[in-house]
Amino acid sequence: DSVSGLRPASALMPGSRAWELEAEPSRDSLPERETSYRPALLVLQAVAVLAAAVLAAPSRRVRR
């Protein structure tokens, strides 16, 4: 109830609360983005999934 930048709005269910932003959000108000490790983590995850798939694959028996 005490957050600035919000105003009460109508809610669908009785007894519940809804809020609206008073001002239009903009990218200027967001903090600057620091270096993202997300691409590196996605590559690492893909390598881990591939390694798990290779290790879980059935082995081939060599018959002599």
Side-chain angles (χ1 to χ4, degrees):
D1 291 351
S2 64
V3 176
S4 63
L6 296 177
R7 65 174 171 246
S10 61
L12 297 176
M13 298 176 58
S16 62
R17 294 181 180 213
W19 303 95
E20 283 183 325
L21 289 173
E22 288 181 348
E24 282 293 317
S26 67
R27 292 209 179 262
D28 296 334
S29 62
L30 295 174
E32 286 194 31
R33 193 174 192 182
E34 293 182 18
T35 304
S36 176
Y37 296 110
R38 185 175 182 173
L41 291 175
L42 287 174
V43 169
L44 181 64
Q45 183 179 6
V47 169
V49 167
L50 182 63
V54 168
L55 292 172
S59 60
R60 194 166 39 162
R61 290 186 180 175
V62 178
R63 295 186 183 190
R64 295 183 187 187

